[in-house]
């Protein structure tokens, strides 16, 4: 004998009911089957809603009833086109009784738990009837048996407790004489010993099936639903979740108790004592393996954590006060009070100081709990021995579950650090001594992020998802998007990093896609995106609340640089090629560094100096390994290099600068490059990263420009002064030539001070042969005292800058 239970979705449509019948027919070829069905998907909710409308004198209950009626009549006419009068009459008379019950509730505007149970019982009564009659109409040997005749409970309406003595006897008695191949029973519903309709709690059809399976000591219980088993996390919230092949009863218990709705927790008890395996299967994918739940704990030794689950709508209550310390009986009185009010406690923690007890309950019970506890401890509260109870709401519990977690070290450490890194504040923690379950109370708004973070940490082959938001998609930004698009697959396969661009913005518009923007058509999408603002962009990043979020600034805009702090405070990493933040005041620079450490959010700006060259990264590594920078000498301006490499007495300085601008080597305003400000900013950043407190004004800038050049107040004007002062530049060139030198614009830092300026570089110097737009940096350190550590290569250009940004993003992924 087999017991199969089919849930709401499985009997929720004509198509699915046909699938159910095919499965049952198939099974019944071998041996008799017992089939428990839920109400048609969504009907229990609709019945309760109709009842609530009626209770509140709201005539919407009529339209709710009409929908319920139509759903059932449609199923009936589709499944049994030529139904007999008797069948039609039965269904119509049931619907008529339902209607008069609702009318009654409307009339007296009252809906007691007892009436509520009577109301919802229609769902299972109708579904089981329709399924059974459909089978009969197809000539199958099927019968419907009302489980209310078998399952006897107490009168705790809406969640009645089973009287196993009588129930087991009834079930055995009935099936001893039954000779049908297929018996259909309604799940969820039962009768009290005084004959009133009761129910077994929401989701209780699983329980009905388990009770019957245990009473008959069958070989296994199958729960057929709409997913491929019990997943590593709720598949509706975690896309990467996957079905768990095998679980122990205890693991399944913990997961379902903490919210894995696919199995109603009380269903485990009756079968586990008899060691009857439970198999969770998918009605729409019957060949999928599903999940097998048994007493075997040895399986899965390789994986410590088996799944994560979550319960929402939690209120955390804290009872605290010095009067509790060392005095026995406080907890007893506290939990007795809750038990008297029939309030279920989901989570408890007590600090070892015994100064406070903290527990989690359903948010709907919070007010009642607080009132009754304050009453119980009225005396102690008035004597100030303990404080009135503290309530916090809008919380959730996430729980990591696995029998073998106790054999692995550091699991809770990994769990909490993963949450912490993603700015998920933990309000309370509980870990049972058996260590099957580690649970944390967090804000409701963080649940999805927490589940995905933990899932990635414990179940995803170490593939890390990075959620990237890019602001500024000009020349460099566009290349960066292209590089991400092109390298996505490689990075996922080789570096185990799943890079997704979630948001893009230019100064006009912005676009977002929570599951990753299409990097093929982003330009068209962005053109018709919503209006962009910096604050609006930040708000969206915050609301999306995705783990491992990274904000990338590919602008040269001061306003954008001012918003980094807001990102870092949300534990969102910042990657910038914009130099303004790091070369602004020392206070701002060091504040951003401090926020980065405090909120565990990387702040990377490798491209601020030398585009894609690994200059800052190398510097950071030298310092981290205990080296000390004694001096830095560098050529850091691609544009100035281009200018001086191309300038000689055969052409004018003016023309060379014009050409550099035309070829994109200078800033739109070439004065920023030629005045040396850009180079000064770069050496400032290197000096700061070397550990020196310095500001831009502290850098000696020995300009090679003339007073006229420097005083020009527009770019055009500047070019005019270049023509006028051509002789000055020719003189610089002639002197260098005479001394057999090359002109290079050099930045220097001696460990304390920094300066920038044009220099004549002799033939034997490493700077002499610097070509094109190349940069070079020489680090003299304690470990590299005479022969410096040299980094050299292209220090400007969209492609190399984009690849520098790309590398910073990857650094965060690692
Ligand atoms: P049925 O109507 O078949 O009883 P339920 O809706 O009660 O189905 O339970 C199945 C649903 O449980 C799934 O559709 C899924 O959304 C939800 N669920 C939550 N957590 C899990 C989990 N860990 N594994 C599988 N399903 C889960
Ligand atoms: N129909 C009931 C409910 O929705 C029981 C069940 O589906 O298991 O809660
Ligand atoms: Mg269910």
């Amino acid at each position: 004998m087999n017991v199969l239970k089919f849930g709401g979705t499985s009997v929720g449509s004509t198509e699915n009911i046909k699938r159910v019948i095919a499965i049952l027919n198939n099974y019944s070829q071998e041996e008799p089957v017992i089939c428990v069905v839920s109400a048609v998907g969504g009907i229990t909710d609709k019945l309760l809603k109709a009842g609530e409308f009626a209770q509140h004198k709201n005539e919407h209950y009529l339209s709710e009833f009409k929908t319920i009626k139509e759903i059932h009549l449609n199923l009936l006419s589709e499944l049994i086109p030529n139904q007999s009068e008797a069948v039609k009459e039965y269904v119509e008379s049931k619907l008529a009784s339902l209607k008069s019950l609702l009318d009654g509730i409307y009339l007296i505007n009252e809906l007691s738990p007892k009436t509520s149970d009577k109301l919802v019982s229609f769902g299972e009564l109708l579904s089981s009837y329709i399924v059974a009659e459909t089978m009969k109409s197809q000539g199958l040997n099927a019968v419907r048996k009302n489980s209310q005749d078998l399952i006897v409970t107490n009168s705790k309406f809406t969640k009645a407790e089973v009287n196993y003595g009588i129930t087991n006897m009834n079930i055995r008695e009935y099936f001893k004489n039954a000779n049908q191949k297929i018996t259909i029973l309604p799940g969820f519903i039962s009768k009290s010993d005084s004959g009133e309709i009761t129910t077994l709690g929401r989701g209780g059809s699983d329980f009905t099936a388990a009770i019957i399976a245990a009473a008959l000591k069958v070989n296994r219980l199958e729960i057929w639903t709409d997913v491929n088993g019990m997943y590593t996390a709720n598949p509706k919230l975690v896309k990467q979740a996957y079905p768990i092949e095998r679980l122990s009863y205890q693991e399944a218990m913990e997961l379902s108790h903490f919210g894995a709705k696919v199995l109603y927790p009380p269903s485990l008890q009756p079968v586990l004592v008899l060691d009857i395996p439970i198999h969770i299967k998918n009605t729409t994918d019957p060949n999928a393996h599903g999940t097998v739940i048994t007493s075997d704990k040895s399986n899965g030794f390789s994986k410590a954590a088996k799944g994560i689950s979550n319960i929402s709508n939690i209120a955390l209550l804290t009872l605290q006060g010095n009067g509790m310390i060392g005095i026995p009986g406080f907890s007893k009185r506290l939990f007795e009070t809750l038990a008297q009010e029939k309030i279920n406690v989901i989570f408890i923690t007590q600090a070892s100081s015994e100064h406070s007890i903290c527990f989690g309950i359903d948010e709907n019970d919070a007010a009642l709990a607080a009132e009754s506890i304050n009453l119980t401890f009225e005396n102690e509260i008035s004597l100030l021995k303990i404080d009135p109870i503290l309530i916090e709401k809008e919380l959730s519990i996430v729980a990591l579950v696995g029998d073998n977690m106790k054999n692995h070290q550091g699991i809770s450490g990994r769990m909490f650090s993963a949450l912490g890194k993603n700015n998920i504040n933990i309000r309370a923690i509980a870990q049972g001594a058996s260590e099957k379950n580690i649970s944390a109370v967090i804000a409701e708004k963080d649940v999805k992020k927490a589940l995905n973070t933990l899932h990635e940490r414990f179940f995803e082959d170490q593939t890390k998802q990075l959620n990237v938001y890019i602001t500024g998609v000009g020349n460099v930004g566009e290349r960066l998007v292209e590089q991400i698009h092109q390298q996505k697959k490689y990075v996922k396969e080789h570096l185990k990093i799943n890079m997704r661009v979630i948001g893009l913005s230019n100064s006009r518009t912005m676009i977002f896609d929570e599951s990753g923007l299409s990097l093929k058509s982003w330009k068209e999408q962005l053109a018709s995106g919503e209006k962009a603002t910096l604050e609006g962009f930040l708000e969206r990043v915050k609301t999306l609340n995705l783990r491992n979020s990274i904000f990338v600034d590919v602008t040269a805009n001061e306003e954008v640089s001012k918003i980094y702090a807001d990102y870092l405070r949300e534990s969102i990493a910042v990657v910038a090629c914009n130099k303004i933040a790091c070369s602004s005041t020392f206070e701002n620079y060091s504040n951003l560094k401090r926020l980065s450490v405090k909120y565990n959010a990387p702040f990377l700006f490798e491209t601020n100096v030398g585009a894609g060259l690994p200059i800052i990264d190398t510097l950071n590594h030298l310092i981290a390994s205990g080296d000390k920078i004694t001096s830095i000498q560098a050529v850091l301006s691609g544009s100035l290099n281009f200018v001086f490499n191309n300038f000689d007495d055969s052409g004018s300085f003016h023309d060379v600068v014009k050409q550099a601008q035309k070829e994109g080597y200078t800033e739109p305003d070439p004065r920023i490059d030629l005045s040396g400000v850009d180079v000064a900013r770069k050496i400032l950043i290197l000096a700061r990263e070397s550990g020196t407190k310095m500001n831009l004004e502290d850098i000696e800038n020995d300009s090679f420009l003339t007073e006229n050049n420097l005083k020009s107040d527009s770019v055009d004007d500047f070019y005019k002064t270049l023509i006028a002062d051509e002789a000055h530049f020719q003189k610089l060139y002639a002197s260098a030539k005479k001394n057999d030198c090359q002109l290079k614009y050099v930045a220097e830092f001696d460990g304390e001070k920094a300066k920038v300026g044009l220099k004549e570089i002799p033939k034997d110097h490493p700077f002499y042969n610097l070509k094109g737009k190349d940069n070079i940096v020489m680090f003299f350190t304690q470990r590299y005292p005479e022969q410096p550590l040299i980094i050299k290569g292209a220090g400007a250009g969209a492609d190399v800058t984009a690849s520098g940004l790309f590398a910073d993003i990857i650094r965060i992924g690692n």
Side-chain angles (χ1 to χ4, degrees):
M1 190 104 75
N2 276 305
V3 177
L4 283 74
K5 176 260 170 175
F6 290 90
T9 335
S10 305
V11 294
S13 65
T14 306
E15 200 191 347
N16 284 352
I17 292 180
K18 285 182 179 163
R19 290 195 166 107
V20 170
I21 293 174
I23 294 167
L24 290 173
N25 188 17
N26 195 10
Y27 273 59
S28 67
Q29 307 298 322
E30 307 274 322
E31 51 181 332
V33 287
I34 297 170
C35 162
V36 174
V37 292
S38 292
V40 169
I43 289 295
T44 311
D45 287 336
K46 286 197 164 56
L47 288 164
L48 287 170
K49 205 156 163 209
E52 216 179 288
F53 280 139
Q55 178 194 15
H56 294 110
K57 284 269 172 217
N58 183 335
E59 292 196 354
H60 277 354
Y61 84 91
L62 291 169
S63 60
E64 207 67 45
F65 168 74
K66 198 165 155 248
T67 319
I68 295 169
K69 182 175 170 175
E70 274 165 11
I71 290 174
H72 288 98
L73 292 181
N74 282 346
L75 281 175
L76 191 66
S77 64
E78 281 175 20
L79 287 162
I80 322 176
N82 307 312
Q83 62 213 246
S84 67
E85 277 308 307
V87 169
K88 203 167 167 181
E89 255 169 41
Y90 178 90
V91 173
E92 277 177 356
S93 78
K94 277 284 158 220
L95 288 166
S97 313
L98 167 60
K99 169 80 172 25
S100 31
L101 179 62
L102 286 168
D103 290 340
I105 297 168
Y106 180 80
L107 219 60
I108 59 168
N109 58 65
E110 195 187 281
L111 178 59
S112 66
K114 181 166 149 182
T115 313
S116 174
D117 273 359
K118 190 184 270 177
L119 179 65
V120 290
S121 72
F122 282 95
E124 268 72 7
L125 285 174
L126 283 164
S127 64
S128 57
Y129 183 80
I130 293 171
V131 173
E133 287 305 318
T134 307
M135 298 187 92
K136 284 195 225 162
S137 76
Q138 296 176 3
L140 296 171
N141 182 1
V143 69
R144 180 178 76 138
K145 173 68 186 165
N146 190 342
S147 30
Q148 286 171 318
D149 302 338
L150 305 177
I151 299 177
V152 177
T153 67
N154 65 7
S155 297
K156 217 178 129 195
F157 296 104
T158 73
K159 204 173 177 179
E161 284 150 13
V162 177
N163 180 331
Y164 281 100
I166 305 177
T167 300
N168 286 345
M169 211 171 65
N170 288 346
I171 295 171
R172 285 171 199 149
E173 197 58 34
Y174 174 75
F175 283 100
K176 197 163 77 189
N177 303 315
N179 52 10
Q180 269 80 19
K181 281 212 151 172
I182 304 168
T183 309
I184 312 285
L185 298 105
F188 181 49
I189 57 178
S190 42
K191 230 172 228 171
S192 75
D193 27 28
S194 52
E196 288 147 332
I197 298 176
T198 54
T199 62
L200 302 174
R202 290 305 305 271
S205 295
D206 300 343
F207 194 17
T208 306
I211 294 166
I212 296 174
L216 299 175
K217 299 197 170 107
V218 297
N219 291 333
R220 72 172 178 180
L221 165 65
E222 295 187 7
I223 304 286
W224 289 75
T225 182
D226 59 351
V227 286
N228 284 346
M230 195 177 272
Y231 278 58
T232 44
N234 184 346
K236 292 216 169 79
L237 298 176
V238 180
K239 263 205 195 138
Q240 325 282 346
Y242 52 85
I244 309 166
E245 289 203 353
R246 305 186 71 83
L247 282 170
S248 73
Y249 289 122
Q250 279 72 22
E251 288 169 330
M253 181 90 85
E254 296 287 346
L255 285 170
S256 63
H257 178 73
F258 279 94
K261 187 186 164 218
V262 64
L263 189 65
Y264 182 49
S267 322
L268 283 151
Q269 192 55 35
V271 290
L272 83 82
V273 289
L274 297 171
D275 213 349
I276 300 172
I278 303 177
H279 200 157
I280 302 177
K281 299 272 294 172
N282 188 347
T283 305
T284 56
D285 186 6
N287 294 325
H289 178 280
T291 298
V292 178
I293 304 168
T294 62
S295 57
D296 184 4
K297 292 186 190 167
S298 64
N299 61 67
F301 228 88
S302 54
K303 256 222 171 356
K306 286 299 219 27
I308 318 160
S309 50
N310 68 293
I311 328 181
S312 298
N313 295 325
I314 296 291
L316 200 62
L317 279 74
T318 308
L319 189 66
Q320 60 185 359
N322 294 328
M324 288 167 59
I325 301 172
I327 299 178
F330 264 93
S331 330
K332 175 169 176 278
R333 284 167 63 202
L334 170 65
F335 291 112
E336 241 168 31
T337 306
L338 293 168
Q340 268 158 16
E341 299 296 344
K342 300 201 167 31
I343 294 170
N344 181 29
V345 180
I346 303 167
F347 174 103
I348 306 172
T349 104
Q350 177 172 27
S352 58
S353 70
E354 287 184 41
H355 174 78
S356 72
I357 301 179
C358 169
F359 58 96
I361 57 177
D362 189 316
E363 214 172 73
N364 296 323
D365 295 331
L368 177 64
E371 197 187 322
S372 41
I373 293 166
N374 285 340
L375 201 66
T376 302
F377 294 99
E378 203 178 11
N379 191 25
E380 286 86 350
I381 294 172
S382 71
L383 294 172
L384 304 179
K385 280 186 172 172
I386 63 172
D387 307 334
I389 193 124
L390 212 79
I391 312 179
E392 290 163 85
K393 289 188 175 175
E394 285 171 41
L395 298 171
S396 271
I397 298 177
V398 290
L400 188 67
V401 170
D403 279 334
N404 290 316
M405 295 201 306
K406 58 180 178 293
N407 299 322
H408 289 72
Q409 275 159 351
I411 294 202
S412 41
R414 271 157 67 197
M415 172 171 175
F416 300 132
S417 82
L419 294 175
K421 270 189 191 140
N422 278 285
N423 201 22
I424 297 163
N425 188 27
I426 300 170
R427 281 292 307 110
I429 297 170
Q431 173 170 7
S434 66
E435 239 188 274
K436 285 186 189 13
N437 173 324
I438 309 169
S439 28
V441 179
I442 60 170
E444 185 81 55
K445 69 170 176 50
D446 288 332
V447 167
K448 196 169 172 195
K449 179 156 82 170
L451 289 175
N452 280 282
T453 301
L454 294 177
H455 198 268
E456 183 175 87
R457 187 72 187 80
F458 289 96
F459 299 98
E460 286 173 34
D461 261 359
Q462 303 303 322
T463 296
K464 191 167 182 179
Q465 186 177 90
L466 297 183
N467 294 301
V468 181
Y469 298 87
I470 303 174
T471 281
V473 275
N475 218 349
V476 177
E478 193 178 322
R479 299 296 166 82
L480 174 63
V481 176
E482 267 165 30
Q483 286 180 13
I484 294 176
H485 185 40
Q486 197 188 344
Q487 287 307 103
K488 204 173 150 56
K489 197 161 162 249
Y490 178 90
V491 167
K492 195 165 180 179
E493 274 166 21
H494 293 83
L495 305 178
K496 300 257 176 259
I497 291 174
N498 180 14
M499 245 190 197
R500 310 188 314 160
V501 178
I502 307 296
L504 276 178
S505 153
N506 55 27
S507 55
R508 297 170 302 280
T509 50
M510 57 185 191
I511 46 171
F512 298 88
D513 185 341
E514 189 177 352
S515 49
L517 287 161
S518 152
L519 299 186
K520 261 190 203 146
S521 59
W522 66 271
K523 279 189 193 161
E524 295 77 30
Q525 287 182 57
L526 186 60
S528 54
E530 59 192 282
K531 189 178 176 319
T533 62
L534 284 172
E535 294 72 27
F537 198 80
L538 169 68
E539 266 325 298
R540 289 294 286 277
V541 179
K542 275 163 67 177
T543 324
L544 283 164
N545 201 11
L546 299 173
R547 66 195 186 283
N548 309 324
S549 290
I550 305 173
F551 173 70
V552 187
D553 176 10
V554 203
T555 72
N557 184 304
E558 182 166 1
E559 291 311 308
V560 181
S561 76
K562 285 183 185 158
I563 209 157
Y564 299 170
D566 293 329
Y567 280 97
L568 295 171
R569 275 193 209 99
E570 298 293 326
S571 293
I572 296 166
V574 174
V575 168
C577 69
N578 184 348
K579 285 190 262 303
I580 296 177
C582 288
S583 57
S584 64
T585 61
F586 186 78
E587 284 66 40
N588 187 43
Y589 160 83
S590 54
N591 185 44
L592 292 173
K593 295 270 242 189
R594 189 183 57 81
L595 291 175
S596 162
V597 173
K598 179 168 177 195
Y599 292 96
N600 220 325
F603 171 40
L604 300 181
F605 40 87
E606 179 62 87
T607 47
N608 279 194
V609 182
L613 296 177
I615 296 173
I616 295 177
D617 193 49
T618 306
L619 175 55
N620 291 158
H621 280 129
L622 288 174
I623 290 170
S625 67
D627 203 352
K628 203 172 161 344
I629 307 296
T630 45
S631 77
I632 301 172
Q633 290 180 24
V635 175
L636 295 171
S637 168
S639 36
L640 285 172
N641 245 3
F642 178 90
V643 168
F644 288 107
N645 283 343
N646 288 287
F647 174 53
D648 56 28
D649 47 10
S650 69
S652 78
F653 190 70
H654 166 273
D655 290 353
V656 178
V657 176
K658 260 266 138 98
Q659 189 193 348
Q661 187 183 16
K662 207 172 115 208
E663 293 188 17
Y665 292 132
T666 69
E667 302 276 330
D669 181 347
R671 287 173 296 178
I672 296 182
D673 297 297
L674 276 94
S675 66
V677 168
D678 188 59
V679 176
R681 282 181 181 159
K682 289 173 180 167
I683 193 74
L684 172 68
I685 294 170
L686 294 184
R688 284 176 171 177
E689 289 292 297
S690 307
T692 305
K693 188 173 168 182
M694 190 184 279
N695 276 309
L696 198 59
E697 308 82 75
D698 304 328
I699 295 175
E700 196 184 318
N701 185 345
D702 195 3
S703 182
F704 67 87
L705 294 176
T706 66
E707 196 119 322
N708 272 342
N709 300 150
L710 290 168
K711 276 200 296 210
S712 61
D713 45 7
S714 71
V715 175
D716 279 349
D717 198 23
F718 175 66
Y719 275 114
K720 280 184 198 142
T721 64
L722 288 187
I723 295 174
D725 292 340
E726 177 66 20
H728 163 76
F729 299 108
Q730 286 298 341
K731 217 163 99 192
L732 293 174
Y733 175 75
S735 159
K737 193 175 172 191
K738 191 178 113 226
N739 297 331
D740 220 0
C741 287
Q742 288 272 359
L743 285 172
K744 299 285 168 204
Y745 198 85
V746 176
E748 290 166 290
F749 168 64
D750 65 6
E752 280 171 25
K753 290 203 203 69
K755 64 177 177 192
V756 295
L758 193 65
K759 281 199 155 183
E760 292 185 358
I761 304 292
K763 263 204 165 111
D764 56 353
H765 195 280
F767 292 176
Y768 185 88
N769 282 317
L770 208 60
K771 294 278 176 324
K773 53 187 191 276
D774 278 7
N775 279 195
I776 185 167
V777 179
M778 303 199 297
F779 288 116
F780 291 90
T781 74
Q782 278 174 354
R783 290 187 197 139
Y784 295 91
E786 271 124 38
Q787 292 304 317
L789 190 158
I790 299 179
I791 299 164
K792 181 180 162 191
D799 268 325
V800 286
T801 308
S803 69
L805 289 166
F806 190 90
D808 271 349
I809 296 173
I810 296 290
R811 279 184 190 108
I812 294 173
N814 291 331

